[in-house]
Amino acid sequence: MRRSPHRIRPALAVAVAAAVLVGCTGPGDDDAFRPGAADAGDPYVPGRGNGGYDVEAYRLRVRYDPATDRLTGRASVTATATVPLSRFNLDLIGLDVTEVTVAGAAATHRRDGDELVVTPPRGLPRGAGFTVEVAYAGVPTAVRDGELGSGGWLHTADGAIALGQPESAATWFPVNDHPSDKARYDVEVTVPDGTEALGNGVPGERTSADGWTTWRWREDAPMASYLSTLVIGDYRVTTGVHAGRPTVTAVAASLPADGPAARSVARTGEIADFLAARFGPYPFASYGGIAVADDRIGYALETQSRPVYGPGFFRAGRPNPSVVVHELAHQWFGDSVSVARWQDIWLNEGFATYAEWLWAEHEGGRSAQQAFEARYAVTDWSEPSVDPGRSEMFGDAVYQRGALAVHALRRTVGDETFFRLLRGWTAEWRDRTATTDDFVGYAERAAGRPLRPLFDAWLVGATAPALP
Ligand SMILES: [Zn+2]
């Protein structure tokens, strides 16, 4: 994610410590059926995610009418029980659930706040694969977060935008809403004829019947739920092929056809190639980007294979390739290799910020070394990059201090080892989730030397580290 320029930060609220719910077991009852946990145990997103199962795939069929803001959906969630499950939760915000089946048999369901609690007719043994079908409908809502801003389903003048970090998915489908459980997605979205409906991944066949058009999108690489998006409305859609893969870009019809947003998004393929030369092969089967016009989207987000750009980046009247660099860098750092828990978000933002430094140098602006020196001089070392606190998830320590740590690594191990290390990391950890310790451990093995003191100093030390 990158915030738009001049964005006003929401007032800081007091962080509320999450009660972490853990499925309890007594001694000797390892095979006893028991409820799955009601959240992922991540204090940055209390209540989000669930335990007891692992999702492989979401098959979503949704119909949305912008005139009424009403959505009807059928979600088919294919998962594997990781403990013997008597019941389990999915995250779902608002919306009315009309029917739930598990393995084709009617299941008992109830709502508990933002949780959908499902009790299958029989317990699910550890390791058992199962499919949950949920029929639901209603007017989707946004999630308003005093610390992090709003996310979720935003009804716009001409349609809707489903977007947000760290959460958005649960506002339009039942989901294990935490990046630790990545899955494949197969989405069909039906909208009135003449309205565009954009999603993640490779486009499928588009069909029309009775005044409604169904758009199909498929993302076969594992995707974290917050990286899913739906953008519905009046858009100019451009399709093509880049490096043998489909490219889909879209620009809100209310923005100029040859304006700064359109011209920035049009550089997606070129910028992805620039990054691939440094980070390793582009990790997904499609490319793209979506420029929206709604001012309430005060940020850009790295939604998988198809980032969404808010209008604030293009106000200066000239193209802004830098934000495209940032969001495309996340395709490697954040999307393909995802955080296992939000406290490690510098692994996403530090590298995406560093990619902007590399791009500026490539474009003839200041060098990465100059960007590093300038940022070093103004850094507040009392703010840690790792586990910065929920309210500082998108703070300078995560972005700028994270990028400083990346450059300090480069200065310490040298360019050859540094870029080999980055390409090795993105290859070895592709489609997975990782922590800071995973990265430090990998870097030490790749460089053949201890690097923990370096990362400690640059990521979390309370005083300015010595320049490498
Ligand atoms: Zn970012």
Side-chain angles (χ1 to χ4, degrees), residues 186-235:
D186 174 350
V187 178
E188 281 186 16
V189 51
T190 300
V191 293
D193 285 349
T195 298
E196 282 69 45
L198 298 141
N200 307 87
V202 174
E205 191 188 9
R206 199 186 317 163
T207 54
S208 287
D210 306 322
W212 294 79
T213 300
T214 299
W215 298 64
R216 295 177 174 83
W217 302 98
R218 186 176 183 90
E219 179 52 69
D220 280 333
M223 179 164 81
S225 51
Y226 81 96
L227 297 171
S228 66
T229 187
L230 270 190
V231 176
I232 296 168
D234 193 5
Y235 286 80

Side-chain angles (χ1 to χ4, degrees), residues 243-286:
R245 289 167 244 204
T247 298
V248 180
T249 58
V251 178
S254 61
L255 298 172
D258 192 33
R263 287 161 63 198
S264 302
V265 172
R267 297 184 73 176
T268 292
E270 170 204 351
I271 291 171
D273 290 350
F274 167 84
L275 296 170
R278 287 147 183 86
F279 297 161
Y282 180 75
F284 301 123
S286 66

